[in-house]
Amino acid sequence: MNDEELLRYSRQIMLPEIDIEGQERLRAATALVIGLGGLGSPVAMYLGAAGVGRLLLVDFDHVDTSNLQRQIAHAEADIGRPKVESARDRVRALNPLVAIETIAEALDDEALAAAVARADVVLDCTDNLTTRLAINAACVAAGKPLVTGAAIRMEGQAMVVDPRVPEAPCYRCLYRSAEEPAESCTQSGVLAPVVGIIGSLQAVEAIKVLTGAGEPLTGRLLLMDARTMEFHEVRVPKYAGCPVCGTQSG
Protein backbone atom coordinates (compact mmCIF):
# COMPACT_ATOMS: atom_id res chain seq x y z
CA MET A 1 0.00 0.00 0.00
CA ASN A 2 1.55 3.29 -1.09
CA ASP A 3 1.64 6.63 0.75
CA GLU A 4 -1.36 8.01 -1.15
CA GLU A 5 -3.50 5.05 -0.12
CA LEU A 6 -2.31 5.21 3.47
CA LEU A 7 -3.34 8.86 3.63
CA ARG A 8 -6.66 8.36 1.81
CA TYR A 9 -7.79 5.49 4.01
CA SER A 10 -6.06 6.59 7.23
CA ARG A 11 -9.24 7.10 9.27
CA GLN A 12 -10.41 3.63 8.32
CA ILE A 13 -7.03 1.99 8.89
CA MET A 14 -7.01 3.48 12.40
CA LEU A 15 -9.87 1.17 13.33
CA PRO A 16 -8.40 -1.93 15.00
CA GLU A 17 -11.05 -4.09 13.31
CA ILE A 18 -9.81 -2.93 9.89
CA ASP A 19 -6.11 -1.98 10.18
CA ILE A 20 -3.85 -2.27 7.13
CA GLU A 21 -4.69 -5.95 6.68
CA GLY A 22 -8.39 -5.20 6.35
CA GLN A 23 -7.73 -2.32 3.98
CA GLU A 24 -5.64 -4.58 1.79
CA ARG A 25 -8.47 -7.11 1.75
CA LEU A 26 -10.78 -4.37 0.51
CA ARG A 27 -8.29 -3.37 -2.19
CA ALA A 28 -8.08 -6.99 -3.39
CA ALA A 29 -11.87 -7.49 -3.39
CA THR A 30 -14.51 -7.32 -6.11
CA ALA A 31 -18.02 -6.17 -5.23
CA LEU A 32 -20.96 -6.72 -7.58
CA VAL A 33 -23.61 -4.00 -7.18
CA ILE A 34 -26.88 -4.83 -8.92
CA GLY A 35 -29.16 -1.83 -9.22
CA LEU A 36 -27.95 1.78 -9.12
CA GLY A 37 -31.04 3.55 -7.86
CA GLY A 38 -31.82 4.75 -4.35
CA LEU A 39 -30.00 1.87 -2.63
CA GLY A 40 -27.26 1.28 -5.16
CA SER A 41 -26.19 4.93 -5.26
CA PRO A 42 -24.87 5.11 -1.67
CA VAL A 43 -23.65 1.51 -1.88
CA ALA A 44 -21.45 2.22 -4.90
CA MET A 45 -20.24 5.56 -3.56
CA TYR A 46 -19.34 4.29 -0.09
CA LEU A 47 -17.68 1.09 -1.31
CA GLY A 48 -15.67 3.11 -3.81
CA ALA A 49 -14.70 5.72 -1.22
CA ALA A 50 -13.79 2.99 1.28
CA GLY A 51 -11.33 1.44 -1.16
CA VAL A 52 -12.95 -1.72 -2.51
CA GLY A 53 -10.60 -2.49 -5.38
CA ARG A 54 -13.06 -3.38 -8.12
CA LEU A 55 -16.72 -2.58 -8.56
CA LEU A 56 -18.97 -4.32 -11.06
CA LEU A 57 -21.93 -1.99 -11.57
CA VAL A 58 -25.11 -3.43 -13.12
CA ASP A 59 -28.25 -1.55 -14.19
CA PHE A 60 -30.25 -1.55 -17.43
CA ASP A 61 -32.06 1.73 -16.74
CA HIS A 62 -31.46 5.38 -17.69
CA VAL A 63 -31.57 8.40 -15.38
CA ASP A 64 -34.99 10.06 -15.16
CA THR A 65 -36.05 13.29 -13.46
CA SER A 66 -38.08 11.32 -10.89
CA ASN A 67 -34.89 9.51 -9.80
CA LEU A 68 -33.13 12.65 -8.60
CA GLN A 69 -35.11 12.94 -5.36
CA ARG A 70 -33.25 9.96 -3.86
CA GLN A 71 -30.71 8.43 -6.29
CA ILE A 72 -27.74 10.52 -5.25
CA ALA A 73 -25.22 9.02 -7.70
CA HIS A 74 -27.04 10.85 -10.51
CA ALA A 75 -27.46 14.57 -11.23
CA GLU A 76 -29.56 16.84 -13.42
CA ALA A 77 -26.96 16.70 -16.18
CA ASP A 78 -27.20 12.89 -16.23
CA ILE A 79 -30.86 12.72 -17.27
CA GLY A 80 -31.11 10.31 -20.19
CA ARG A 81 -27.72 8.69 -19.51
CA PRO A 82 -27.38 5.04 -18.51
CA LYS A 83 -27.28 4.82 -14.74
CA VAL A 84 -24.15 2.70 -14.85
CA GLU A 85 -22.31 5.54 -16.58
CA SER A 86 -23.32 8.32 -14.21
CA ALA A 87 -22.69 6.10 -11.17
CA ARG A 88 -19.28 5.14 -12.56
CA ASP A 89 -18.35 8.77 -13.05
CA ARG A 90 -19.51 9.71 -9.55
CA VAL A 91 -17.47 6.93 -7.92
CA ARG A 92 -14.41 7.80 -10.00
CA ALA A 93 -14.71 11.41 -8.86
CA LEU A 94 -14.63 10.17 -5.27
CA ASN A 95 -11.81 7.66 -5.74
CA PRO A 96 -9.88 7.24 -8.99
CA LEU A 97 -7.97 4.30 -7.49
CA VAL A 98 -10.98 2.00 -7.83
CA ALA A 99 -11.39 -0.12 -10.98
CA ILE A 100 -14.96 0.01 -12.27
CA GLU A 101 -16.72 -2.16 -14.84
CA THR A 102 -20.24 -1.45 -16.03
CA ILE A 103 -22.95 -3.75 -17.36
CA ALA A 104 -25.83 -1.75 -18.82
CA GLU A 105 -28.34 -4.56 -19.22
CA ALA A 106 -30.63 -6.84 -17.28
CA LEU A 107 -28.83 -10.09 -16.50
CA ASP A 108 -30.42 -13.38 -17.52
CA ASP A 109 -29.68 -16.51 -15.51
CA GLU A 110 -26.42 -17.32 -17.31
CA ALA A 111 -25.08 -13.75 -17.27
CA LEU A 112 -26.09 -13.34 -13.63
CA ALA A 113 -24.27 -16.52 -12.65
CA ALA A 114 -21.16 -15.34 -14.51
CA ALA A 115 -21.21 -11.95 -12.79
CA VAL A 116 -21.75 -13.46 -9.34
CA ALA A 117 -18.87 -15.88 -9.91
CA ARG A 118 -16.50 -12.91 -10.34
CA ALA A 119 -17.47 -11.25 -7.07
CA ASP A 120 -16.32 -11.60 -3.48
CA VAL A 121 -19.56 -10.04 -2.27
CA VAL A 122 -22.84 -9.25 -4.04
CA LEU A 123 -25.09 -6.34 -3.15
CA ASP A 124 -28.71 -6.59 -4.19
CA CYS A 125 -30.01 -3.05 -4.62
CA THR A 126 -32.93 -3.91 -6.88
CA ASP A 127 -36.58 -3.02 -6.41
CA ASN A 128 -38.60 -6.20 -6.99
CA LEU A 129 -38.85 -9.57 -5.29
CA THR A 130 -38.50 -11.66 -8.45
CA THR A 131 -35.07 -10.20 -9.17
CA ARG A 132 -34.01 -10.45 -5.53
CA LEU A 133 -34.86 -14.14 -5.45
CA ALA A 134 -32.94 -14.75 -8.67
CA ILE A 135 -29.88 -13.00 -7.23
CA ASN A 136 -30.23 -14.99 -4.00
CA ALA A 137 -30.38 -18.29 -5.92
CA ALA A 138 -27.29 -17.37 -7.95
CA CYS A 139 -25.35 -16.45 -4.82
CA VAL A 140 -26.32 -19.65 -3.01
CA ALA A 141 -25.35 -21.74 -6.05
CA ALA A 142 -21.96 -20.00 -6.26
CA GLY A 143 -21.37 -19.90 -2.51
CA LYS A 144 -21.00 -16.09 -2.53
CA PRO A 145 -22.12 -13.80 0.32
CA LEU A 146 -25.04 -11.51 -0.48
CA VAL A 147 -26.08 -8.25 1.16
CA THR A 148 -29.69 -7.45 0.36
CA GLY A 149 -31.73 -4.36 1.14
CA ALA A 150 -35.18 -2.92 0.44
CA ALA A 151 -37.09 0.27 1.22
CA ILE A 152 -40.59 1.65 0.75
CA ARG A 153 -42.47 4.62 2.23
CA MET A 154 -40.63 5.28 5.52
CA GLU A 155 -39.53 1.70 6.12
CA GLY A 156 -36.48 -0.33 5.21
CA GLN A 157 -34.75 -3.63 5.81
CA ALA A 158 -31.34 -5.24 5.35
CA MET A 159 -29.98 -8.77 5.70
CA VAL A 160 -26.86 -10.79 4.89
CA VAL A 161 -27.06 -14.19 3.22
CA ASP A 162 -23.86 -16.22 3.51
CA PRO A 163 -23.96 -19.68 1.91
CA ARG A 164 -20.53 -20.38 3.40
CA VAL A 165 -22.24 -20.72 6.79
CA PRO A 166 -24.09 -24.08 6.72
CA GLU A 167 -26.76 -23.16 9.28
CA ALA A 168 -27.48 -19.72 7.80
CA PRO A 169 -30.75 -19.10 5.92
CA CYS A 170 -31.04 -17.63 2.44
CA TYR A 171 -33.39 -14.89 1.26
CA ARG A 172 -35.89 -17.46 -0.02
CA CYS A 173 -36.18 -18.83 3.53
CA LEU A 174 -37.65 -15.45 4.42
CA TYR A 175 -40.01 -15.16 1.43
CA ARG A 176 -41.27 -18.72 1.08
CA SER A 177 -44.26 -17.96 -1.15
CA ALA A 178 -42.11 -16.04 -3.69
CA GLU A 179 -45.13 -13.88 -4.48
CA GLU A 180 -44.45 -10.30 -5.59
CA PRO A 181 -45.85 -7.76 -3.08
CA ALA A 182 -48.77 -5.69 -4.32
CA GLU A 183 -47.03 -2.42 -3.41
CA SER A 184 -43.87 -0.92 -4.84
CA CYS A 185 -41.87 2.26 -4.39
CA THR A 186 -43.33 3.59 -7.64
CA GLN A 187 -46.86 3.11 -6.34
CA SER A 188 -46.42 3.92 -2.65
CA GLY A 189 -43.50 6.35 -2.63
CA VAL A 190 -40.41 6.48 -0.45
CA LEU A 191 -38.77 9.12 1.75
CA ALA A 192 -35.43 10.04 0.16
CA PRO A 193 -33.09 9.53 3.14
CA VAL A 194 -34.60 6.12 3.92
CA VAL A 195 -32.97 4.51 0.89
CA GLY A 196 -29.75 6.31 1.82
CA ILE A 197 -29.81 4.80 5.30
CA ILE A 198 -30.50 1.28 4.05
CA GLY A 199 -27.92 1.56 1.26
CA SER A 200 -25.35 2.78 3.78
CA LEU A 201 -26.15 -0.20 6.01
CA GLN A 202 -25.59 -2.48 3.03
CA ALA A 203 -22.20 -0.90 2.40
CA VAL A 204 -21.24 -1.39 6.05
CA GLU A 205 -22.26 -5.04 5.93
CA ALA A 206 -20.32 -5.65 2.72
CA ILE A 207 -17.17 -4.14 4.25
CA LYS A 208 -17.64 -6.33 7.32
CA VAL A 209 -18.03 -9.43 5.14
CA LEU A 210 -14.90 -8.57 3.12
CA THR A 211 -12.66 -7.68 6.06
CA GLY A 212 -13.97 -9.98 8.79
CA ALA A 213 -14.66 -6.98 11.02
CA GLY A 214 -17.56 -7.20 13.44
CA GLU A 215 -20.55 -9.50 13.15
CA PRO A 216 -22.48 -9.31 9.86
CA LEU A 217 -26.27 -9.50 9.69
CA THR A 218 -26.07 -13.13 8.62
CA GLY A 219 -29.48 -14.70 9.21
CA ARG A 220 -30.71 -11.53 10.88
CA LEU A 221 -33.25 -9.22 9.26
CA LEU A 222 -32.80 -5.64 10.41
CA LEU A 223 -36.01 -3.61 10.14
CA MET A 224 -36.15 0.18 10.29
CA ASP A 225 -39.20 2.37 10.82
CA ALA A 226 -38.24 5.99 10.13
CA ARG A 227 -41.54 7.29 11.52
CA THR A 228 -40.37 6.52 15.04
CA MET A 229 -36.71 5.92 14.11
CA GLU A 230 -36.84 2.46 15.64
CA PHE A 231 -34.80 -0.55 14.58
CA HIS A 232 -35.86 -4.13 15.20
CA GLU A 233 -34.01 -7.35 14.53
CA VAL A 234 -35.69 -10.58 13.50
CA ARG A 235 -33.79 -13.87 13.55
CA VAL A 236 -34.53 -15.75 10.34
CA PRO A 237 -34.39 -19.55 10.72
CA LYS A 238 -33.07 -21.76 7.96
CA TYR A 239 -36.05 -23.43 6.26
CA ALA A 240 -35.41 -27.13 5.68
CA GLY A 241 -37.90 -27.16 2.80
CA CYS A 242 -36.40 -24.14 1.05
CA PRO A 243 -36.10 -24.88 -2.70
CA VAL A 244 -32.84 -22.91 -2.83
CA CYS A 245 -30.85 -23.87 0.27
CA GLY A 246 -33.04 -26.41 2.09
CA THR A 247 -31.99 -29.86 3.21
CA GLN A 248 -35.29 -31.58 2.44
CA SER A 249 -38.22 -31.12 0.09
CA GLY A 250 -41.75 -30.09 1.15
Side-chain angles (χ1 to χ4, degrees):
M1 189 170 294
N2 60 37
D3 290 344
E4 179 185 354
E5 291 172 297
L6 289 172
L7 179 60
R8 178 181 289 270
Y9 307 123
S10 60
R11 300 301 188 275
Q12 201 159 265
I13 292 171
M14 290 171 62
L15 299 173
E17 299 91 344
I18 303 295
D19 209 342
I20 290 180
E21 181 181 354
Q23 194 63 50
E24 289 179 337
R25 288 180 182 176
L26 291 179
R27 182 175 62 171
T30 296
L32 171 63
V33 182
I34 306 177
L36 293 163
L39 299 173
S41 289
V43 162
M45 292 164 64
Y46 270 121
L47 292 185
V52 173
R54 181 177 298 277
L55 299 180
L56 306 179
L57 305 181
V58 180
D59 199 307
F60 63 87
D61 205 2
H62 292 69
V63 179
D64 180 80
T65 302
S66 65
N67 301 148
L68 303 182
Q69 166 252 4
R70 65 201 176 281
Q71 300 183 16
I72 59 174
H74 318 299
E76 185 81 18
D78 296 314
I79 292 174
R81 295 183 70 196
K83 288 183 180 180
V84 290
E85 292 184 5
S86 52
R88 175 200 62 200
D89 293 349
R90 186 65 181 271
V91 175
R92 281 180 176 168
L94 289 170
N95 190 354
L97 302 179
V98 176
I100 304 173
E101 294 184 33
T102 61
I103 303 175
E105 60 185 41
L107 301 180
D108 60 19
D109 291 344
E110 185 176 342
L112 177 60
V116 166
R118 299 180 59 195
D120 297 296
V121 65
V122 179
L123 294 107
D124 174 10
C125 304
T126 62
D127 62 0
N128 66 89
L129 183 60
T130 300
T131 303
R132 291 184 192 126
L133 293 179
I135 294 170
N136 171 76
C139 288
V140 172
K144 298 299 179 77
L146 165 67
V147 184
T148 184
I152 191 171
R153 295 182 298 267
M154 297 180 70
E155 305 155 13
Q157 64 180 48
M159 177 178 166
V160 172
V161 173
D162 195 340
R164 301 171 301 178
V165 180
E167 67 276 13
C170 76
Y171 196 67
R172 184 62 188 274
C173 293
L174 180 63
Y175 290 95
R176 299 182 186 180
S177 69
E179 293 181 2
E180 195 71 43
E183 294 181 303
S184 68
C185 171
T186 302
Q187 298 165 320
S188 302
V190 64
L191 184 66
V194 169
V195 289
I197 293 170
I198 299 301
S200 297
L201 288 173
Q202 288 183 264
V204 169
E205 291 302 306
I207 290 171
K208 288 160 61 179
V209 167
L210 292 172
T211 62
E215 182 182 349
L217 284 170
T218 305
R220 296 183 289 143
L221 181 68
L222 184 66
L223 302 169
M224 182 192 77
D225 186 344
R227 293 178 185 85
T228 56
M229 199 46 72
E230 292 182 303
F231 288 81
H232 300 279
E233 179 183 300
V234 177
R235 294 274 178 174
V236 180
K238 188 178 182 70
Y239 175 43
C242 176
V244 175
C245 74
T247 57
Q248 66 184 44
S249 59

